Amino acid sequence: MPKILHTADWQMGRAFTRFETEDGAALVEARFEAIETLARLATENQCDAVLVAGDVFDAQTVADRTIRRVFNATQGFAGPWVMLPGNHDAALAESVWTRAQRLGAVPENVHLALQPGVIDLEPQRLSILCAPLTQRHTYSDLTEPFSVYQTPEGFLRVGLAHGSVQGLLPDEIDSANPIAPNRAEASRLDYLALGDWHGTKQIDERTWYSGTPEPERFRNNEAGNALIVDVSEPGATPTVTPVPTGRYQWHQLRETLAVHSDLEQLLERLGTLPESAVVDLRLDGSVTLAGEEALLKALSVAEARFRSLRCERGGLQLTPTEEDIAALKADGYVGEVVESLWERQDAAQDDVARDALAILAGLLREREQEAAQ
């Protein structure tokens, strides 16, 4: 029973510059670890081949060291790898692929599908029908020639392509690099391994996007998997099993706080996220001074626990209650400043006034605690 591991969209060399240096470096390293995980899974599941459906590299200009590390990471699986150029690493006349070949970095068991055609893996009885991108964007279906490609009798016909299945992807993604939605049936494919959509997605019983093995976006699209594909014989319906591969989980939270229970639910949700979380949090609405104190404490704990936490609080206003103001014991001139900052941030959504009010409230609370000792 032939078995393949389908993966795509590694985008090695990608930089995570919007993160803190330490976090960005960890996210980069996780992508190399993902390749090692793929190799281990292929070996453990006794796969006949690993197919990489495009965008192995994030750009043509990645460093030589990155190129070498990518191919070094494949060593855990001794069987054949077939790597297809995608839109980020198209097979140009001079490309990251030709540079890899000049460097002597490509192992003998790695097949680079730099030209359209068929790669026959004879011991595995697999024919890989390849549609590499030779430029970043094309506007014709590069998989159309699959219908006329001849393959040996008794070999599985497996398509390998990178692009957008027309009319079937979310958000009406009918862009460049189109692929016909009935390509597997029209070209008599036993399986069509696709890349470009970064989440795991089934198109039909023979056509799947594997998604990227390590998430890199705040998008709820089932990223962080590889696919183990079993086909008992030519013509049989494949059995496709998603296998988790991602190290980090990306969460984008958009919360509006209106009452105290909203804050409680947010803090509870943050507490349930794993240490491997990469969190992008944006808060709107309003919070009391007591709520602000609880929020800041929780965010401080979460920042130390998660891989990364970025919190945008520009839309969150401080709305002190009478109990908040009374608890500050701010009389005289200090009380007037508190009142002024409250009114200023409430009237104009002034971030400086909000932050100043929070700082002043914190100082007053510290003074009260010291006096009580």
Side-chain angles (χ1 to χ4, degrees):
M1 176 185 293
K3 184 185 298 185
I4 61 176
L5 187 147
H6 168 198
T7 179
D9 299 295
W10 297 355
Q11 295 196 268
M12 305 305 296
R14 184 181 185 123
F16 295 90
T17 54
R18 56 180 167 163
F19 294 91
E20 297 291 336
T21 301
E22 178 184 351
D23 295 332
L27 295 175
V28 167
E29 197 62 29
R31 305 194 76 75
F32 287 103
E33 293 174 0
I35 303 176
E36 295 173 348
T37 297
L38 294 169
R40 176 178 54 78
L41 286 172
T43 299
E44 291 176 351
N45 287 275
Q46 298 181 328
C47 291
D48 294 285
V50 176
L51 306 185
V52 190
D55 283 358
V56 171
F57 298 98
D58 188 55
Q60 303 285 4
T61 54
V62 299
D64 289 355
R65 180 173 184 266
T66 297
I67 294 173
R68 293 185 185 278
R69 288 194 66 191
V70 165
F71 291 109
N72 287 345
T74 68
Q75 294 177 358
F77 176 64
W81 298 69
V82 181
M83 296 186 178
L84 185 86
N87 58 305
H88 280 259
D89 54 7
L92 310 176
E94 176 60 30
S95 70
V96 62
W97 302 103
T98 56
R99 188 148 51 94
Q101 290 173 322
R102 284 199 304 273
L103 289 171
V106 184
E108 290 184 1
N109 63 321
V110 176
H111 303 264
L112 305 184
L114 305 185
Q115 299 293 332
V118 181
I119 296 176
D120 288 323
L121 304 176
E122 295 186 6
Q124 294 79 18
R125 299 182 67 80
L126 289 169
S127 290
I128 313 302
L129 289 65
C130 304
L133 289 175
T134 56
Q135 58 190 49
R136 187 173 179 86
H137 297 302
T138 60
Y139 297 92
S140 60
D141 186 351
L142 298 182
T143 66
E144 188 171 356
F146 287 1
S147 297
V148 299
Y149 287 166
Q150 299 299 310
T151 56
E153 185 71 23
F155 279 38
L156 292 186
R157 289 170 61 89
V158 179
L160 187 61
H162 189 90
S164 172
V165 174
Q166 299 300 279
L168 295 180
L169 289 182
D171 303 325
E172 299 179 351
I173 301 177
D174 287 344
S175 57
N177 311 320
I179 296 172
N182 66 337
R183 176 55 55 211
E185 179 183 6
S187 298
R188 310 178 312 283
L189 301 178
D190 293 294
Y191 183 75
L192 177 55
L194 296 178
D196 195 31
W197 182 251
H198 282 214
T200 302
K201 184 171 181 62
Q202 180 180 9
I203 300 301
D204 59 38
E205 63 181 8
R206 299 183 184 276
T207 306
W208 285 71
Y209 285 94
S210 66
T212 178
E214 180 65 36
E216 89 294 3
R217 299 176 183 175
F218 293 106
R219 203 170 195 173
N220 185 21
N221 64 348
E222 302 299 326
N225 298 306
L227 300 177
I228 302 294
V229 183
D230 289 274
V231 188
S232 59
E233 60 183 2
T237 301
T239 299
V240 181
T241 306
V243 181
T245 54
R247 176 174 180 182
Y248 295 116
Q249 301 177 21
W250 292 49
H251 302 268
Q252 189 173 59
L253 308 180
R254 300 291 181 259
E255 303 289 343
T256 298
L257 306 182
V259 295
H260 186 66
S261 60
D262 293 335
L263 176 60
E264 290 179 332
Q265 290 174 9
L266 170 63
L267 300 187
E268 182 178 352
R269 186 174 181 183
L270 288 175
T272 62
L273 294 179
E275 294 182 3
S276 59
V278 177
V279 181
D280 178 52
L281 175 63
R282 185 176 70 194
L283 299 177
D284 296 299
S286 61
V287 66
T288 65
L289 285 177
E292 171 82 353
E293 182 178 16
L295 174 62
L296 292 179
K297 180 178 179 180
L299 291 177
S300 177
V301 171
E303 284 176 343
R305 190 167 70 87
F306 296 155
R307 175 65 273 170
S308 173
L309 172 64
R310 301 169 67 217
C311 181
E312 170 55 52
R313 298 168 56 242
L316 187 64
Q317 287 187 304
L318 283 178
T319 55
T321 64
E322 292 182 1
E323 290 79 6
D324 285 332
I325 299 300
L328 294 178
K329 297 181 179 180
D331 49 13
Y333 175 71
V334 176
E336 294 176 3
V337 171
V338 170
E339 187 75 19
S340 175
L341 290 173
W342 180 11
E343 293 175 353
R344 178 176 167 183
Q345 66 98 31
D346 186 53
Q349 293 189 340
D350 189 323
D351 292 349
V352 174
R354 183 202 64 213
D355 293 342
L357 179 57
I359 292 171
L360 180 56
L363 291 173
L364 290 172
R365 281 192 292 265
E366 288 179 4
R367 185 186 67 178
E368 180 67 18
Q369 291 171 358
E370 291 174 355
Q373 292 177 352

